[in-house]
Amino acid sequence: GAMRRKVAGLAVLCAIALCCFSFGTTSAREFRTPHRFLPNSLDRGLIEVSNPIDGRTWAVWSYRNGAEYDIALSYATESGSWSEPVFLGRDDGLDQIEPALVADAGGTLYMAYAEFETNRVMLSFLPANGQRWAQPVILAASAVGRTPALRLVGDRVIVAYRAPEGIRIVDFPTLTTGTNHSIFDGPDPAATGTA
């Protein structure tokens, strides 16, 4: 009698725990995987960054769109729901690949990526509390580059990328430093170099 009730109660608790674990795992997976990102497909390189101001987690990846790759950007709120992705380079006949993403302390997001066919490194940003990503610009007009990486050092955004002559490093002030400069002014000539 009593032993059977304990075993039956334990079995019910185990079944409840298993169901909760299964649903919990699904929720966590959905939170970590944006809409349209298919990890077992041709999509590449999911990068996630948290915005320190609004708490949103941003994701960027190379999205396989038919015969080309486009940059896909999406964000998740603290509740875990993902926005529908925004695409850069959609249906332009070029492959946008190798994205990098970083957020500064003021909440501005910076994103760099490479264009396969042109061998250019492109850069875009989303101002703090902004609604639209800036039109991408060529990071270094005369340089051939691939595999960009972004880092913040103090109030500077550092971009490093592979070039035929080695690694090139470009830096510029963040948009939230209070200076009158922006990424459209181009890199600081005194700080541009080859390493």
Side-chain angles (χ1 to χ4, degrees), residues 139-140 157-161 168-172 186-188 191-193:
L139 185 63
V157 177
I158 311 297
V159 184
Y161 58 92
R168 293 186 53 91
I169 299 173
V170 179
D171 76 307
F172 51 89
D188 181 353
T192 304

Side-chain angles (χ1 to χ4, degrees), residues 25-101:
T25 303
T26 301
S27 297
R29 187 178 309 120
E30 288 174 359
F31 178 79
R32 295 183 188 279
T33 306
H35 301 298
R36 298 195 193 194
F37 176 74
L38 302 173
N40 296 324
S41 73
L42 296 174
D43 289 353
R44 299 182 188 165
L46 183 66
I47 308 291
E48 292 183 1
V49 169
S50 292
N51 187 318
I53 299 301
D54 62 15
R56 293 189 290 187
T57 297
W58 281 85
V60 62
W61 68 98
S62 290
Y63 173 76
R64 184 69 175 185
N65 180 19
E68 68 182 56
Y69 282 98
D70 301 323
I71 296 297
L73 295 139
S74 182
Y75 66 86
T77 61
E78 290 179 7
S79 69
S81 60
W82 284 96
S83 68
E84 188 64 27
V86 172
F87 296 97
L88 296 179
R90 190 165 208 171
D91 298 326
D92 65 358
L94 299 173
D95 287 320
Q96 288 81 20
I97 57 173
E98 303 171 334
L101 184 66

Side-chain angles (χ1 to χ4, degrees), residues 106-131:
T108 298
L109 293 163
Y110 306 87
M111 194 242 332
Y113 62 90
E115 283 184 346
F116 180 77
E117 292 81 3
T118 64
N119 289 313
R120 297 184 298 193
V121 174
M122 306 296 286
L123 186 67
S124 183
F125 68 93
L126 177 67
N129 300 315
Q131 299 300 313

Side-chain angles (χ1 to χ4, degrees), residues 147-172:
T147 320
L150 290 171
R151 295 289 181 264
L152 292 169
V153 177
D155 64 353
R156 308 289 290 179
V157 177
I158 311 297
V159 184
Y161 58 92
R162 294 181 192 271
E165 67 277 4
I167 303 298
R168 293 186 53 91
I169 299 173
V170 179
D171 76 307
F172 51 89

